[in-house]
Short mmCIF file of all heavy atoms in Angstrom, two decimals:
data_model
loop_
_atom_site.label_atom_id
_atom_site.label_comp_id
_atom_site.label_asym_id
_atom_site.label_seq_id
_atom_site.Cartn_x
_atom_site.Cartn_y
_atom_site.Cartn_z
N TYR D 1 -212.99 -135.95 88.48
CA TYR D 1 -212.03 -135.53 87.45
C TYR D 1 -211.98 -136.48 86.26
O TYR D 1 -211.41 -136.14 85.24
CB TYR D 1 -210.64 -135.36 88.06
CG TYR D 1 -210.58 -134.20 89.00
CD1 TYR D 1 -210.68 -134.39 90.38
CD2 TYR D 1 -210.48 -132.91 88.51
CE1 TYR D 1 -210.66 -133.31 91.24
CE2 TYR D 1 -210.45 -131.82 89.38
CZ TYR D 1 -210.55 -132.04 90.74
OH TYR D 1 -210.53 -130.96 91.59
N ARG D 2 -212.59 -137.64 86.38
CA ARG D 2 -212.62 -138.59 85.26
C ARG D 2 -213.27 -137.94 84.04
O ARG D 2 -212.73 -137.98 82.94
CB ARG D 2 -213.35 -139.87 85.67
CG ARG D 2 -213.44 -140.88 84.53
CD ARG D 2 -214.13 -142.17 84.95
NE ARG D 2 -215.37 -141.90 85.65
CZ ARG D 2 -215.83 -142.65 86.66
NH1 ARG D 2 -215.18 -143.70 87.08
NH2 ARG D 2 -216.97 -142.34 87.24
N GLU D 3 -214.41 -137.32 84.23
CA GLU D 3 -215.11 -136.67 83.11
C GLU D 3 -214.28 -135.52 82.54
O GLU D 3 -214.21 -135.34 81.33
CB GLU D 3 -216.48 -136.19 83.55
CG GLU D 3 -217.39 -137.28 84.09
CD GLU D 3 -217.68 -138.39 83.09
OE1 GLU D 3 -217.79 -138.11 81.88
OE2 GLU D 3 -217.78 -139.56 83.54
N ASP D 4 -213.67 -134.75 83.43
CA ASP D 4 -212.83 -133.64 82.98
C ASP D 4 -211.65 -134.14 82.16
O ASP D 4 -211.27 -133.53 81.15
CB ASP D 4 -212.31 -132.83 84.17
CG ASP D 4 -213.42 -132.10 84.91
OD1 ASP D 4 -214.49 -131.87 84.32
OD2 ASP D 4 -213.21 -131.76 86.09
N PHE D 5 -211.05 -135.24 82.60
CA PHE D 5 -209.92 -135.81 81.88
C PHE D 5 -210.31 -136.15 80.44
O PHE D 5 -209.63 -135.76 79.49
CB PHE D 5 -209.42 -137.07 82.59
CG PHE D 5 -208.44 -137.88 81.79
CD1 PHE D 5 -207.15 -137.43 81.60
CD2 PHE D 5 -208.81 -139.10 81.24
CE1 PHE D 5 -206.23 -138.18 80.86
CE2 PHE D 5 -207.91 -139.84 80.50
CZ PHE D 5 -206.62 -139.38 80.31
N PHE D 6 -211.42 -136.85 80.28
CA PHE D 6 -211.83 -137.24 78.93
C PHE D 6 -212.29 -136.04 78.10
O PHE D 6 -212.23 -136.08 76.88
CB PHE D 6 -212.89 -138.34 78.98
CG PHE D 6 -212.29 -139.68 79.27
CD1 PHE D 6 -212.33 -140.21 80.54
CD2 PHE D 6 -211.65 -140.39 78.26
CE1 PHE D 6 -211.75 -141.44 80.81
CE2 PHE D 6 -211.07 -141.62 78.52
CZ PHE D 6 -211.12 -142.14 79.80
N ALA D 7 -212.70 -134.98 78.76
CA ALA D 7 -213.09 -133.77 78.03
C ALA D 7 -211.89 -133.04 77.42
O ALA D 7 -212.02 -132.37 76.40
CB ALA D 7 -213.87 -132.82 78.95
N VAL D 8 -210.71 -133.18 78.04
CA VAL D 8 -209.55 -132.42 77.57
C VAL D 8 -208.42 -133.27 77.00
O VAL D 8 -207.48 -132.73 76.42
CB VAL D 8 -208.97 -131.54 78.70
CG1 VAL D 8 -210.02 -130.56 79.21
CG2 VAL D 8 -208.38 -132.36 79.82
N VAL D 9 -208.51 -134.59 77.14
CA VAL D 9 -207.37 -135.42 76.74
C VAL D 9 -207.02 -135.28 75.25
O VAL D 9 -205.85 -135.24 74.88
CB VAL D 9 -207.59 -136.90 77.14
CG1 VAL D 9 -208.68 -137.56 76.32
CG2 VAL D 9 -206.28 -137.68 77.04
N GLY D 10 -208.01 -135.16 74.40
CA GLY D 10 -207.75 -134.99 72.97
C GLY D 10 -207.03 -133.69 72.67
O GLY D 10 -206.08 -133.66 71.86
N ASP D 11 -207.45 -132.61 73.32
CA ASP D 11 -206.79 -131.32 73.12
C ASP D 11 -205.35 -131.36 73.62
O ASP D 11 -204.44 -130.85 72.96
CB ASP D 11 -207.55 -130.20 73.84
CG ASP D 11 -208.90 -129.92 73.22
OD1 ASP D 11 -209.08 -130.24 72.02
OD2 ASP D 11 -209.77 -129.40 73.93
N ALA D 12 -205.15 -131.95 74.79
CA ALA D 12 -203.79 -132.06 75.33
C ALA D 12 -202.91 -132.87 74.39
O ALA D 12 -201.76 -132.51 74.14
CB ALA D 12 -203.82 -132.69 76.72
N TRP D 13 -203.46 -133.93 73.84
CA TRP D 13 -202.69 -134.77 72.93
C TRP D 13 -202.26 -134.00 71.68
O TRP D 13 -201.14 -134.14 71.21
CB TRP D 13 -203.50 -136.00 72.54
CG TRP D 13 -202.67 -137.01 71.83
CD1 TRP D 13 -202.57 -137.20 70.49
CD2 TRP D 13 -201.77 -137.94 72.43
NE1 TRP D 13 -201.67 -138.20 70.20
CE2 TRP D 13 -201.16 -138.67 71.39
CE3 TRP D 13 -201.41 -138.22 73.75
CZ2 TRP D 13 -200.23 -139.67 71.62
CZ3 TRP D 13 -200.49 -139.23 73.98
CH2 TRP D 13 -199.91 -139.93 72.92
N ARG D 14 -203.16 -133.18 71.17
CA ARG D 14 -202.86 -132.41 69.95
C ARG D 14 -201.94 -131.23 70.20
O ARG D 14 -201.09 -130.91 69.38
CB ARG D 14 -204.15 -131.89 69.33
CG ARG D 14 -204.92 -132.89 68.51
CD ARG D 14 -206.09 -132.25 67.77
NE ARG D 14 -207.04 -131.60 68.67
CZ ARG D 14 -207.99 -132.24 69.36
NH1 ARG D 14 -208.09 -133.53 69.27
NH2 ARG D 14 -208.82 -131.56 70.13
N GLU D 15 -202.09 -130.57 71.34
CA GLU D 15 -201.44 -129.28 71.55
C GLU D 15 -200.15 -129.35 72.35
O GLU D 15 -199.33 -128.45 72.24
CB GLU D 15 -202.42 -128.33 72.24
CG GLU D 15 -203.64 -128.05 71.37
CD GLU D 15 -204.73 -127.30 72.10
OE1 GLU D 15 -204.49 -126.82 73.23
OE2 GLU D 15 -205.85 -127.20 71.55
N TRP D 16 -199.95 -130.37 73.14
CA TRP D 16 -198.77 -130.44 74.00
C TRP D 16 -197.67 -131.23 73.30
O TRP D 16 -197.91 -131.94 72.33
CB TRP D 16 -199.11 -131.10 75.32
CG TRP D 16 -200.06 -130.31 76.17
CD1 TRP D 16 -200.64 -129.12 75.88
CD2 TRP D 16 -200.53 -130.68 77.45
NE1 TRP D 16 -201.45 -128.72 76.91
CE2 TRP D 16 -201.41 -129.66 77.89
CE3 TRP D 16 -200.33 -131.76 78.28
CZ2 TRP D 16 -202.03 -129.70 79.12
CZ3 TRP D 16 -200.97 -131.81 79.50
CH2 TRP D 16 -201.81 -130.78 79.92
N SER D 17 -196.47 -131.11 73.84
CA SER D 17 -195.38 -131.93 73.32
C SER D 17 -195.71 -133.40 73.54
O SER D 17 -196.52 -133.75 74.41
CB SER D 17 -194.07 -131.59 74.04
OG SER D 17 -194.09 -132.07 75.37
N SER D 18 -195.07 -134.25 72.77
CA SER D 18 -195.33 -135.68 72.88
C SER D 18 -195.06 -136.19 74.29
O SER D 18 -195.87 -136.94 74.85
CB SER D 18 -194.46 -136.43 71.87
OG SER D 18 -194.63 -137.82 72.01
N ALA D 19 -193.95 -135.80 74.88
CA ALA D 19 -193.59 -136.28 76.22
C ALA D 19 -194.61 -135.82 77.26
O ALA D 19 -195.05 -136.62 78.10
CB ALA D 19 -192.19 -135.79 76.59
N MET D 20 -195.01 -134.54 77.21
CA MET D 20 -195.98 -134.05 78.19
C MET D 20 -197.34 -134.70 77.99
O MET D 20 -198.01 -135.05 78.96
CB MET D 20 -196.10 -132.53 78.11
CG MET D 20 -194.94 -131.82 78.77
SD MET D 20 -195.19 -130.03 78.87
CE MET D 20 -196.40 -129.94 80.18
N ALA D 21 -197.74 -134.87 76.75
CA ALA D 21 -199.03 -135.49 76.48
C ALA D 21 -199.05 -136.93 76.98
O ALA D 21 -200.03 -137.36 77.60
CB ALA D 21 -199.35 -135.43 74.99
N GLN D 22 -197.99 -137.67 76.74
CA GLN D 22 -197.92 -139.05 77.21
C GLN D 22 -197.94 -139.11 78.73
O GLN D 22 -198.64 -139.95 79.32
CB GLN D 22 -196.67 -139.73 76.67
CG GLN D 22 -196.77 -140.03 75.19
CD GLN D 22 -195.50 -140.67 74.66
OE1 GLN D 22 -194.93 -141.55 75.30
NE2 GLN D 22 -195.06 -140.22 73.50
N ASP D 23 -197.17 -138.23 79.38
CA ASP D 23 -197.18 -138.20 80.84
C ASP D 23 -198.56 -137.84 81.38
O ASP D 23 -199.02 -138.43 82.36
CB ASP D 23 -196.16 -137.17 81.36
CG ASP D 23 -194.73 -137.64 81.20
OD1 ASP D 23 -194.50 -138.85 80.95
OD2 ASP D 23 -193.83 -136.78 81.33
N PHE D 24 -199.23 -136.90 80.73
CA PHE D 24 -200.57 -136.50 81.15
C PHE D 24 -201.54 -137.67 81.03
O PHE D 24 -202.26 -137.99 81.98
CB PHE D 24 -201.05 -135.32 80.31
CG PHE D 24 -202.48 -134.91 80.61
CD1 PHE D 24 -202.78 -134.25 81.78
CD2 PHE D 24 -203.49 -135.19 79.71
CE1 PHE D 24 -204.09 -133.86 82.06
CE2 PHE D 24 -204.79 -134.81 79.98
CZ PHE D 24 -205.11 -134.15 81.16
N VAL D 25 -201.54 -138.32 79.88
CA VAL D 25 -202.48 -139.43 79.67
C VAL D 25 -202.23 -140.54 80.68
O VAL D 25 -203.16 -140.99 81.36
CB VAL D 25 -202.39 -139.96 78.22
CG1 VAL D 25 -203.23 -141.22 78.05
CG2 VAL D 25 -202.83 -138.89 77.24
N SER D 26 -201.00 -140.97 80.80
CA SER D 26 -200.69 -142.07 81.71
C SER D 26 -200.89 -141.67 83.17
O SER D 26 -201.45 -142.44 83.95
CB SER D 26 -199.25 -142.54 81.50
OG SER D 26 -199.08 -143.02 80.19
N GLY D 27 -200.44 -140.49 83.52
CA GLY D 27 -200.53 -140.05 84.91
C GLY D 27 -201.93 -139.76 85.38
O GLY D 27 -202.32 -140.16 86.47
N VAL D 28 -202.70 -139.08 84.55
CA VAL D 28 -204.05 -138.71 84.98
C VAL D 28 -205.01 -139.88 84.83
O VAL D 28 -205.93 -140.02 85.64
CB VAL D 28 -204.55 -137.45 84.24
CG1 VAL D 28 -205.96 -137.10 84.66
CG2 VAL D 28 -203.62 -136.28 84.53
N TYR D 29 -204.80 -140.75 83.87
CA TYR D 29 -205.67 -141.93 83.79
C TYR D 29 -205.56 -142.75 85.06
O TYR D 29 -206.54 -143.33 85.52
CB TYR D 29 -205.33 -142.79 82.57
CG TYR D 29 -206.41 -143.81 82.29
CD1 TYR D 29 -207.47 -143.50 81.43
CD2 TYR D 29 -206.42 -145.05 82.90
CE1 TYR D 29 -208.48 -144.39 81.19
CE2 TYR D 29 -207.44 -145.96 82.66
CZ TYR D 29 -208.46 -145.63 81.81
OH TYR D 29 -209.48 -146.52 81.58
N ALA D 30 -204.38 -142.76 85.67
CA ALA D 30 -204.19 -143.49 86.92
C ALA D 30 -205.05 -142.92 88.04
O ALA D 30 -205.33 -143.60 89.02
CB ALA D 30 -202.71 -143.46 87.32
N VAL D 31 -205.48 -141.67 87.91
CA VAL D 31 -206.35 -141.05 88.90
C VAL D 31 -207.78 -141.59 88.79
O VAL D 31 -208.51 -141.63 89.77
CB VAL D 31 -206.36 -139.51 88.73
CG1 VAL D 31 -207.38 -138.85 89.62
CG2 VAL D 31 -204.97 -138.95 89.00
N CYS D 32 -208.15 -142.02 87.60
CA CYS D 32 -209.51 -142.52 87.40
C CYS D 32 -209.75 -143.71 88.33
O CYS D 32 -208.89 -144.58 88.48
CB CYS D 32 -209.71 -142.95 85.95
SG CYS D 32 -209.65 -141.61 84.76
N PRO D 33 -210.92 -143.76 88.95
CA PRO D 33 -211.21 -144.84 89.88
C PRO D 33 -211.18 -146.20 89.19
O PRO D 33 -211.50 -146.34 88.01
CB PRO D 33 -212.62 -144.53 90.36
CG PRO D 33 -212.84 -143.10 90.06
CD PRO D 33 -212.00 -142.79 88.87
N ILE D 34 -210.80 -147.20 89.95
CA ILE D 34 -210.85 -148.58 89.47
C ILE D 34 -212.30 -149.00 89.60
O ILE D 34 -212.77 -149.38 90.68
CB ILE D 34 -209.90 -149.47 90.27
CG1 ILE D 34 -208.48 -149.00 90.03
CG2 ILE D 34 -210.07 -150.93 89.89
CD1 ILE D 34 -207.43 -149.65 90.90
#
């Protein structure tokens, strides 16, 4: 899902509310492997 996240993060940032976009970025980035 790391690749999928980076494929859609820009669209989510532009199209979603600020709060949802921030939660998405912070929450899903945490899924990315260390």
Side-chain angles (χ1 to χ4, degrees):
Y1 292 99
R2 179 178 48 215
E3 301 300 324
D4 293 339
F5 169 72
F6 282 100
V8 301
V9 70
D11 292 337
W13 191 262
R14 280 187 302 279
E15 297 170 11
W16 294 2
S17 72
S18 176
M20 283 188 74
Q22 288 179 42
D23 287 345
F24 176 74
V25 173
S26 298
V28 178
Y29 194 91
V31 173
C32 294
I34 296 172

